[in-house]
Amino acid sequence: MSRFSAGRAALLVIATLLFASSLAGTAFAHPDHDDDAPGKNIPVPESEAERQFDLVAALELAEMQAGLENVGLTRCTDGAAAGYACDGVDLISFIPLATLGGGEGNDLWGWTHKATGREFAIMGRTTGVTFVEITNPKNPKVIGTLPSHSFSSIWRDLKVYKNHVFIVSEAQQSGLQVFDLRELLSQKQIPHVFAETAHLPAWSNAHNIAMNEETGYAYVVGSNTCGGGLHMVDVSSPTEPVSAGCYSGDGYTHDVQCVTYMGVDTDHVGSEICFASNEDTLTIVDVTNKAAPVQLARKLYAGVGYSHQGWLTEDHRYFVSDDELDELNGAPKTKTYVWDLSDLDSPFVDFTFTGTTRAIDHNQYIRDGRSYQANYKAGVRIVSLDDVATGSAAEVAYFDTFPQGDGAQFNGAWTAYPFYHANVIAVSTIDRGLFILGYEGESGSVHVGDLESASELAFPNRWRARGTVEVLDESGQPVAGAAVKVRWSNGKTRNCVTGADGRCEVKVLRANRFGKVWFRIVDVASGGASYASWLNVDSDGDSNGFRDRVARP
C-alpha cells in the first residue's frame, strides 16, 4: 500500500469512528439544502464527522480523477462501452475534468451557431465554465475557459440566448455573467482564458437561470433577491441586461421553465407562463405582465421530498418533473412525476414512472418525445413518452457515467443536454468530466459513408467545386431520399437529396484567386431515422466523414 493510500485509509477509519459516534445528533441535508440562502432558511452546521468525510471524499476524487484519460469513439456492445454500462447509447468521446480546467463539474448547456452549424458544449465547473467544440463529436476541442466572476462554487447554472451565454452561481457577488459565444469561432490559440462580455450585479448569488428565447426574458431563481423567487431580466439586448420584475408570492424557487404557452388550456394560450419547482410544490405563474405576475396554481403532491426540476412536453400538455429527495425518503427506485396540464389553474399528477435503479433523479430535458434524465449515479436514462397520454412511460436506453454503483447519493451525472442537430448528447458529471454520447433511437439511423471531391473550370475567372455525399443506414446500405445539408467554407449553404445509390452532389463557384474550398456536413435527415453523426466515415480515408477539401483544378 502506498503512503498516500495508507494515509487515506487511516483517515477513513478516523472519519468512520467520528461518524458513528455523532450519527444520532447529526442532521444531514441534500446538497441543495446545505446553506441558509434567503428563502431556504435551513442552516445546517457541519459536524467534525462530516468534515472528515468531505476530506476523504476529496482525496478519493483526486485519486480517481488522476487516472482518467480522454476516450474516443466506443460503440455500446454487449451492454458496455469503455467500462461503462450502456444500452442503445454509444460513447463518442470523453474529456476528464483535469483537461477541462479541474475542480468538480456541475451544469451544462449547448450552443449551435446557426450560420455555420458549429456546435459547442458549455460546462460549468467549480471555478468557472469551459467551452468545448463538438462539431465533430469524435474529436472535441477545448477552446477555453471563463473564470468565475467572484469565487468558486460547486453550483453554477447557465443558459444561451442570441449567441450569448448567461451564467449564475451560488458564489457570493456572482451576479449575472454574460459572454459573447461568437468569440469562440475565431479563437486561434487554444485553450484560451476568456473575459466576460458583460455583468449585471442585480443580486449576489443565485441557484438557477431559465430562458424564454421567444420573449427575450431570463428568469433567475434561488437568489438573494425577490424572496428567492422569480427575478425577471430583460436580455433582449444581451450585453445590456435589465431587471424587469419580481415574483416572490411562493417563496424560494429551485428551478423553472418559462414559455409562451401553446397548450390545451385556452384561457392561457399566448401568455408567458412559468412552471416552477418550489421545493414542495409545482407552482404556475403568469408572468406576461412583469410588473404584476399572477400565481395560477400552487400544488403539493403525494410523496413529495424536494420538488427539484421539470420540463414540458413539446405540446405543453404535460409537465414531467423530478423530486430530489423521494428516493432518500423511501421510494425504492427513481420516480418521475407526470403532471396533467389540461387546466393550468388546477394541475395534478396524472401518473408516476418508476425507473430501473435506486439513483436520485436530478435534471431532465425533453426532445422528440424522449426525456433525457441525468440521474446522478445511474447516469443518463432516456425515457420514451410516446404513450404518456395513456398514463405510461418506458426507459428505452441508458448510459451509466458512474460505474461504481447506482445508489441514492449525490454524485455522477448533473445534466444531459440533447438539443444538438444530430442525436448527440452532452453530459456533465460532478466527478469525472464531459461525456459526449450518441443515441441512435429506436427507428434506425443514417450516417455519412463517403465524401468525394472534384473540381473543374467554369468560366475564365472562376472554377467549380463539387462535393459528393454518400448516406448509409445502420446496416451500411445506401439510403435514397435523404436530405443533406452542406456548408461551404465561403459561407454558402447547399442542399441535396440522395438518389437510389445513396449519393447526391453539391456545388459552389470560386474565383480563380482561391486555391481551395472546404465543405462540411451540417445535417442529414431521412424520415424517422436519426442522424448518427458519430458514425460518419469516409470509405477511402481521404476525409473524416464530416468535411472534405476541394482543390482548384
Side-chain angles (χ1 to χ4, degrees), residues 70-85:
N70 287 42
V71 180
L73 176 63
T74 309
R75 301 297 305 276
C76 179
T77 306
D78 297 327
Y84 298 95

Side-chain angles (χ1 to χ4, degrees), residues 97-172:
L97 276 162
T99 304
L100 296 169
E104 293 185 8
N106 44 62
D107 197 39
L108 178 145
W109 207 248
W111 175 55
T112 299
H113 185 239
K114 291 183 179 180
T116 64
R118 292 172 66 180
E119 295 190 312
F120 298 81
I122 310 165
M123 180 170 164
R125 298 179 295 100
T126 310
T127 58
V129 299
T130 300
F131 306 106
V132 182
E133 180 164 8
I134 62 167
T135 305
N136 178 351
K138 294 188 290 187
N139 184 29
K141 297 180 180 179
V142 177
I143 305 301
T145 59
L146 175 68
S148 170
H149 180 81
S150 58
F151 308 109
S152 296
S153 173
I154 61 173
W155 289 287
R156 206 170 299 280
D157 202 86
L158 48 120
K159 296 295 184 294
V160 170
Y161 175 65
K162 281 188 176 179
N163 298 320
H164 291 73
V165 61
F166 300 81
I167 306 164
V168 299
S169 173
E170 290 275 18
Q172 299 295 313

